[in-house]
Amino acid sequence: RKEVEQDPGPFNVPEGATVAFNCTYSNSASQSFFWYRQDCRKEPKLLMSVYSSGNEDGRFTAQLNRASQYISLLIRDSKLSDSATYLCVVTHTGRRALTFGSGTRLQVQP
Amino acid sequence: DAGVIQSPRHEVTEMGQEVTLRCKPISGHDYLFWYRQTMMRGLELLIYFNNNVPIDDSGMPEDRFSAKMPNASFSTLKIQPSEPRDSAVYFCASSFRLGGYTFGSGTRLTVV
């Protein structure tokens, strides 16, 4: 079992739709949480950090549930440019490196 | 700032040959990471350095893989001998203390 689990998708949604991705992590020592975005044949780039209180950045909302070891990302009013793979990422106490989920692919259609 | 610079962008080599991947981190960053991405296994950490010292190399697949960081501005990942199963995209990333990570554009390695 992978340490960070994601539904691989693909999620095919029309423009303007709201879409939600979920992620679970198994290591209770996980300390910091992120969503990264990766376009086809490109490097991963930070989309947003995820905080226990939940946080929002424009059309994107991230939530963390430490008790259930569950992270979510909500995208409202989807744009064609949101088409990408979304990677759930954690770090652990005392370890600087990022641990990646396998990613969820999103395709927004006109 | 030019970002994290990796070379080469693409490498095609024959099985058994030595392959060297190179990375120049962002100036002033004290952490450097090597990741490998495949369709089957996703993004996996191979090794990371702090202040040029290897901290965690538990992700290095086997003795055929080695990584060095002779100074703060340069790191190499070497595979000798290479095998077809090493075909992947290799990313280098750097960060400063608790700050964000910046990834290079990656090296796409094909071993035939």
Side-chain angles (χ1 to χ4, degrees), chain B residues 38-57:
Chain B
T38 60
M39 288 292 292
M40 290 296 293
R41 299 174 68 88
L43 269 158
E44 300 175 291
L45 176 73
L46 298 177
I47 186 171
Y48 78 94
F49 297 83
N50 178 219
N51 293 321
N52 314 337
V53 176
I55 302 299
D56 183 350
D57 65 355

Side-chain angles (χ1 to χ4, degrees), chain B residues 17-61:
Chain B
Q17 296 298 307
E18 178 180 292
V19 176
T20 300
L21 312 182
R22 296 173 175 81
C23 176
K24 177 179 168 55
I26 290 175
S27 177
H29 280 192
D30 55 349
Y31 284 88
L32 184 140
F33 307 84
W34 283 101
Y35 286 87
R36 176 172 69 175
Q37 187 172 33
T38 60
M39 288 292 292
M40 290 296 293
R41 299 174 68 88
L43 269 158
E44 300 175 291
L45 176 73
L46 298 177
I47 186 171
Y48 78 94
F49 297 83
N50 178 219
N51 293 321
N52 314 337
V53 176
I55 302 299
D56 183 350
D57 65 355
S58 59
M60 295 286 265

Side-chain angles (χ1 to χ4, degrees), chain A residues 29 58 66 88 91 99 108:
Chain A
R66 284 187 184 270
C88 179
T91 65
T99 300
V108 181

Side-chain angles (χ1 to χ4, degrees), chain A residues 38 41 43 95-98, chain B residues 35 37 56 97 99 101 104:
Chain A
Q38 186 173 26
R41 293 181 170 266
E43 71 273 22
R95 189 169 183 261
R96 183 81 176 105
L98 303 173
Chain B
Y35 286 87
Q37 187 172 33
D56 183 350
R97 295 188 184 171
Y101 300 71

Side-chain angles (χ1 to χ4, degrees), chain A residues 66-102:
Chain A
R66 284 187 184 270
S68 302
Q69 297 186 182
Y70 171 93
I71 306 162
S72 66
L73 176 67
L74 184 76
I75 305 175
R76 292 181 299 279
D77 189 22
S78 300
K79 312 290 185 192
L80 294 175
S81 57
D82 294 333
S83 297
T85 296
Y86 290 83
L87 299 159
C88 179
V89 185
V90 306
T91 65
H92 307 137
T93 304
R95 189 169 183 261
R96 183 81 176 105
L98 303 173
T99 300
F100 286 84
S102 299

